[in-house]
Amino acid sequence: QVQLVESGGGLVQAGGSLRLSCAASGRTFSTYTMGWFRQAPGKEREFVAVINWTGGRIYYADSVKGRFTISRDNAKNTMYLQMNSLKPEDTAVYYCAADRHTTTTVTSAYRYWGQGTQVTVSS
């Protein structure tokens, strides 16, 4: 089992940047596929980015491709999401998720979730 804690959210103007972190507990972090998801008010939780355990396989939602970068540091048990050129439509609660499976963008495939961190982008 793994516990996840997100940090780094906040309020930023459109065009700005934020870096989210997801700190994981447990000795087996390096064996988990990790993902970022987000949920805006009144909307379903949606996929943002995913990275496999080696960092060699990465996928992004089309809406964030070219602006967001996912990465992980297995030595620090931490995953990151660098968000650049933020837009008001990026406003949401951002969640990190983990599970042991092949890289997937499907929300229901992840058993472990953090509590979320709020990202608000003002226009």
Side-chain angles (χ1 to χ4, degrees):
Q1 190 168 350
V2 61
Q3 283 81 45
L4 305 172
V5 179
E6 303 95 337
S7 61
L11 173 64
V12 64
Q13 288 187 333
S17 298
L18 283 174
R19 188 174 84 152
L20 305 184
S21 298
C22 174
S25 65
R27 295 175 294 174
T28 57
F29 170 80
S30 62
T31 65
Y32 282 79
T33 290
M34 302 291 297
W36 286 102
F37 294 79
R38 67 186 181 185
Q39 188 166 17
K43 295 187 177 181
E44 293 188 354
R45 193 169 298 188
E46 66 175 8
F47 164 74
V48 174
V50 61
I51 185 168
N52 76 331
W53 68 280
T54 66
R57 186 172 296 174
I58 291 173
Y59 299 108
Y60 295 99
D62 288 343
S63 58
V64 306
K65 203 171 293 183
R67 301 187 297 121
F68 291 11
T69 303
I70 189 172
S71 61
R72 65 190 296 165
D73 185 337
N74 288 340
K76 295 183 178 179
N77 278 16
T78 303
M79 175 181 65
Y80 306 97
L81 185 68
Q82 178 66 44
M83 306 186 295
N84 298 328
S85 302
L86 282 161
K87 304 175 182 180
E89 51 263 44
D90 294 318
T91 295
V93 177
Y94 283 70
Y95 298 89
C96 66
D99 213 320
R100 283 199 181 110
H101 47 50
T102 56
T103 312
T104 179
T105 64
V106 177
T107 306
S108 60
Y110 292 82
R111 285 179 292 168
Y112 306 112
W113 292 85
Q115 83 289 348
T117 185
Q118 176 71 46
V119 171
T120 303
V121 184
S122 64
S123 58

